[in-house]
């Protein structure tokens, strides 16, 4: 089995990734900056090596990755730490599986590191988490159908009953960073700049979720899909939120763009906000749909399940194992390029992690 390093092993998602990889028999190098939290995260796990590393110390992370074949990046915001982890993976000559969902971080990875990764024979796989892995692979199944040239991907997460947050502190830090940034979407063959919640539409999710009001967000599907399907003219990503939340979010965008406001929010999340509630996260239902349209063709691929963070851990483990058997090519590649999307969805369905399907004019 592969020797896999997990950068950010003490975080909410990182702990789940370490546990999942260890359960599958991998030797895991758990990397974090706090020795006590590392010990707590790895307690009771077999085949896990604890390695304390300060990411900001020059040369520390590349040294920590020596001896591993794949590194998993689970530290955010990725706009802040992403380049450090990519550079370390290239320096150590190991493949990198990145759960980053920030569009700007993925754009920077492609622009700044793709040539170096190809030259080094290293595979960089961004967006390997719940968002935006599922939208990418579902859209990949829809794109070749008929004359489909427009794809809209939408995500929905519904918390189970009870109290406590369902988004981790890391996720909330990322949201603060993302809300204050403009993003791009592919619209009618042109890359256009948008702000969060600037566009609205209704998305049709599988039952029991059904139709939902959604807002435009900066997904990474518009970066990955046209590389594989250059005929696509429109690729947009959306998130289901109630109408009143959309209005509030849009009103807050100018405030969050102010450095002092953003810093205050990040400080509150780091020092006072509660961590996500494990039981509520495990019970949270999620749905993703990729709708494809052309002049004569219509198609929809969908997936639904529970526990988005647990799903991310499964997705990462699957991608790691596909890389180990030669999936993907050197450079920046999406999870859909690492393995056949349908086979990966079937594998997750077989593990009772999700249900999925596709309908349309084929």
């Amino acid at each position: 089995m592969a020797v896999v390093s997990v950068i950010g092993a003490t975080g909410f998602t990182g702990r789940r990734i370490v546990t999942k990889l260890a359960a599958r028999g991998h030797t895991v190098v758990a990397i974090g900056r706090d020795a006590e939290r590392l010990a707590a995260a790895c307690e009771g796990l077999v085949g896990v090596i604890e390695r304390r590393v300060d990411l900001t110390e020059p040369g520390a992370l590349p040294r920590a990755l020596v001896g591993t074949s794949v590194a998993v990046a689970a530290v955010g915001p990725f706009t802040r730490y992403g380049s450090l982890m990519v550079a370390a993976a290239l320096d150590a000559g190991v493949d990198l599986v990145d759960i980053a969902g920030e569009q700007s971080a993925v754009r920077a990875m492609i622009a700044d590191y793709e040539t170096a990764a190809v030259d080094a024979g290293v595979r960089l796989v961004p967006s390997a988490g719940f968002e935006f892995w599922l939208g990418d692979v579902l859209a990949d199944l829809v794109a070749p159908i008929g004359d489909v040239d427009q794809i809209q991907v939408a995500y929905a997460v519904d918390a189970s009953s009870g109290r406590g947050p369902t988004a981790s502190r890391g996720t909330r830090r990322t949201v603060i960073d993302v809300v204050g940034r403009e993003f791009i979407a592919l619209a009618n063959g042109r890359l256009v700049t948008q702000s969060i919640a600037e566009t609205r539409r209704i998305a049709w999710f599988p039952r029991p979720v059904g139709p939902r009001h959604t807002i435009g967000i900066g997904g990474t599907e518009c970066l990955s899909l046209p590389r594989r399907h250059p005929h696509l003219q429109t690729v947009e990503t959306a998130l289901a939120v109630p109408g009143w939340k959309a209005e509030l979010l849009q009103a807050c965008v100018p405030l969050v763009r102010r450095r002092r406001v953003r810093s205050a929010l990040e400080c509150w999340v780091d020092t006072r906000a509660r961590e996500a509630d494990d039981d509520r996260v495990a019970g949270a239902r999620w749905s993703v749909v990729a709708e494809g349209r052309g002049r004569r063709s219509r198609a929809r691929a969908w997936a639904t399940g529970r526990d988005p963070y647990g799903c991310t851990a499964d997705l990462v483990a699957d991608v790691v194992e596909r890389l180990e058997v030669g999936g993907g090519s050197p450079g920046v590649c999406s999870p859909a390029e690492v393995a056949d999307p349908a086979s990966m969805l079937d594998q997750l369905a077989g593990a009772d992690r999700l249900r999925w399907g596709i309908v349309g004019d084929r």
Side-chain angles (χ1 to χ4, degrees):
M1 303 296 285
V3 179
V4 185
S5 55
V6 179
I7 310 165
T10 62
F12 191 84
T13 308
R15 295 198 310 271
R16 283 156 176 77
I17 294 171
V18 169
T19 301
K20 178 60 63 175
L21 289 169
R24 293 194 182 189
H26 298 281
T27 298
V28 182
V29 178
I31 297 175
R33 64 182 177 182
D34 188 300
E36 291 185 5
R37 293 182 65 193
L38 266 176
C42 302
E43 185 178 2
L45 299 179
V46 177
V48 178
I49 302 166
E50 300 169 26
R51 192 164 291 172
R52 182 183 175 279
V53 176
D54 183 347
L55 295 186
T56 62
E57 180 184 338
L61 187 54
R63 290 194 298 269
L65 299 181
V66 172
T68 64
S69 56
V70 182
V72 176
V75 178
F78 293 89
T79 51
R80 186 178 305 167
Y81 299 110
S83 61
L84 290 173
M85 293 184 284
V86 175
L90 291 174
D91 193 4
V94 303
D95 297 320
L96 181 72
V97 178
D98 194 337
I99 66 170
E102 293 102 309
Q103 186 190 85
S104 58
V106 178
R107 290 179 71 186
M109 181 187 291
I110 295 171
D112 299 339
Y113 295 104
E114 179 153 41
T115 299
V118 171
D119 292 342
V122 168
R123 293 163 292 184
L124 305 175
V125 188
S127 304
F130 165 73
E131 294 174 339
F132 295 95
W133 185 96
L134 283 164
D136 184 66
V137 297
L138 292 171
D140 195 76
L141 296 171
V142 169
I145 294 176
D147 65 347
V148 165
D149 62 359
Q150 302 178 47
I151 291 180
Q152 281 86 32
V153 178
Y155 295 81
V157 179
D158 290 338
S160 60
S161 59
R163 294 184 178 181
T166 55
S168 71
R169 279 200 289 257
T171 297
R172 281 173 278 178
R173 283 193 296 268
T174 298
V175 169
I176 292 168
D177 184 76
V178 168
V179 167
R181 295 176 182 267
E182 293 182 323
F183 61 88
I184 62 169
L186 182 65
N188 299 317
R190 296 174 55 249
L191 290 175
V192 297
T193 302
Q194 298 177 351
S195 296
I196 195 165
E198 182 177 325
T199 60
R200 317 278 182 88
R201 67 182 181 89
I202 300 296
W204 294 83
F205 294 96
R207 294 179 180 179
V209 177
R212 291 292 181 87
H213 177 274
T214 68
I215 60 172
I217 61 173
T220 59
E221 295 91 346
C222 69
L223 305 176
S224 59
L225 284 167
R227 288 157 61 98
R228 305 192 302 275
H229 305 285
H231 68 281
L232 292 176
Q233 296 295 300
T234 296
V235 179
E236 299 172 329
T237 308
L239 177 68
V241 298
W244 68 271
K245 283 189 177 181
E247 296 292 341
L248 179 61
L249 189 58
Q250 192 171 23
C252 288
V253 167
L255 288 174
V256 179
R257 285 181 178 164
R258 297 179 181 178
R259 181 177 299 177
R260 289 185 179 180
V261 174
R262 190 165 60 250
S263 297
L265 289 172
E266 291 173 348
C267 181
W268 178 82
V269 168
D270 289 338
T271 60
R272 301 187 63 183
R274 292 174 55 191
E275 185 54 280
D277 182 87
D278 286 318
D279 291 336
R280 291 199 79 200
V281 167
R285 179 184 295 278
W286 57 262
S287 294
V288 184
V289 61
E291 301 178 17
R293 297 193 303 273
R295 290 185 178 181
R296 297 177 299 277
S297 302
R298 296 289 187 275
R300 178 183 290 117
W302 57 270
T304 185
R306 291 188 182 274
D307 188 2
Y309 291 94
C311 183
T312 290
D314 277 293
L315 295 173
V316 167
D318 288 349
V319 171
V320 166
E321 291 170 357
R322 301 293 180 130
L323 288 174
E324 284 299 296
V325 295
S329 301
V332 179
C333 54
S334 73
E337 295 173 282
V338 173
D340 173 66
S343 70
M344 294 191 76
L345 290 167
D346 283 341
Q347 183 171 336
L348 290 164
D352 292 328
R353 179 55 72 184
L354 56 76
R355 295 183 297 111
W356 77 279
I358 182 170
V359 294
D361 305 323
R362 308 184 98 176

